[in-house]
Amino acid sequence: NPGKIKGAELALSNYFDNFEITGVSVNSGVADQPVNEEIYQGAKNRVENLIKYSKENNVEADLFMSVESGITNAMGKWIIVSVAVIKDKDGYETWGTGAGFPVPDKLVQKIIDSSLGVVMDELFDAHDLSKGGGGISYLTKGAITRIDLNRDAFTMALVQFTNDFWNDKKVKKVQSDIAIKDNL
């Protein structure tokens, strides 16, 4: 997905001068429209499947990255949120989220039953909004795009890799020139 690749590129460019992104489509192992915990699980599954793909194809990378968007009511109200998972070559995993946006009650079940992309395409009489700026670009009148939401999720997940004092175990700060993202 070009919006995921660009979001990852923008996030990485905040910290690294030289890097290479390779987009690989791998399975999330969750519903087409992830709900609640499936959002994180889908991103985690994609990273694990990307690592497996890399081993099987002799691809070397320092970071394996994925982002999954879904619908959640974890805070008592329904929102769409993107969750990014990053795992380094040593197995250390972090995650982060992008900004969430509210979903009207009247659309919740329709989104769960089909997908946000299908509902947005119907609402805005468009085709494949998720491949570009996303429906959020229509909802915010261009102020925020899907690329922005993905960039923010990846940036939040990078926090533990770019700050030695803000991680659960001692990890080397990422100094790499290569990063691979899945399903981007």
Side-chain angles (χ1 to χ4, degrees), residues 47-113:
V47 165
E48 294 302 326
N49 287 331
L50 178 59
I51 291 169
K52 181 180 175 185
Y53 169 90
S54 295
K55 286 178 182 174
E56 292 171 353
N57 292 281
N58 296 317
V59 176
E60 292 187 30
D62 293 304
L63 295 177
F64 302 90
M65 303 171 71
S66 178
V67 67
E68 187 80 24
S69 296
I71 186 169
T72 183
N73 66 347
M75 294 179 282
K77 300 285 186 183
W78 287 99
I79 64 169
I80 301 296
V81 68
S82 296
V83 175
V85 171
I86 302 174
K87 199 169 202 178
D88 71 11
K89 65 183 177 183
D90 298 322
Y92 185 71
E93 179 185 299
T94 67
W95 65 278
T97 66
F101 61 94
V103 177
D105 290 338
K106 66 183 179 183
L107 295 177
V108 169
Q109 196 58 51
K110 190 171 187 173
I111 290 170
I112 291 171
D113 290 344

Side-chain angles (χ1 to χ4, degrees), residues 69-179:
S69 296
I71 186 169
T72 183
N73 66 347
M75 294 179 282
K77 300 285 186 183
W78 287 99
I79 64 169
I80 301 296
V81 68
S82 296
V83 175
V85 171
I86 302 174
K87 199 169 202 178
D88 71 11
K89 65 183 177 183
D90 298 322
Y92 185 71
E93 179 185 299
T94 67
W95 65 278
T97 66
F101 61 94
V103 177
D105 290 338
K106 66 183 179 183
L107 295 177
V108 169
Q109 196 58 51
K110 190 171 187 173
I111 290 170
I112 291 171
D113 290 344
S114 59
S115 74
L116 177 64
V118 168
V119 172
M120 290 293 204
D121 283 349
E122 287 175 9
L123 288 173
F124 295 108
D125 194 28
H127 181 68
D128 282 336
L129 284 176
S130 64
K131 301 270 193 268
I136 191 62
S137 65
Y138 282 76
L139 293 173
T140 63
K141 311 289 189 235
I144 296 174
T145 68
R146 185 171 190 211
I147 293 167
D148 298 325
L149 297 177
N150 291 328
R151 177 204 59 218
D152 292 351
F154 282 126
T155 300
M156 294 299 106
L158 283 165
V159 164
Q160 291 186 8
F161 285 110
T162 57
N163 295 280
D164 292 336
F165 60 89
W166 198 262
N167 55 48
D168 292 331
K169 71 176 198 172
K170 190 70 178 161
V171 295
K172 295 182 290 183
K173 279 177 83 173
V174 177
Q175 303 289 331
S176 171
D177 289 342
I178 300 175

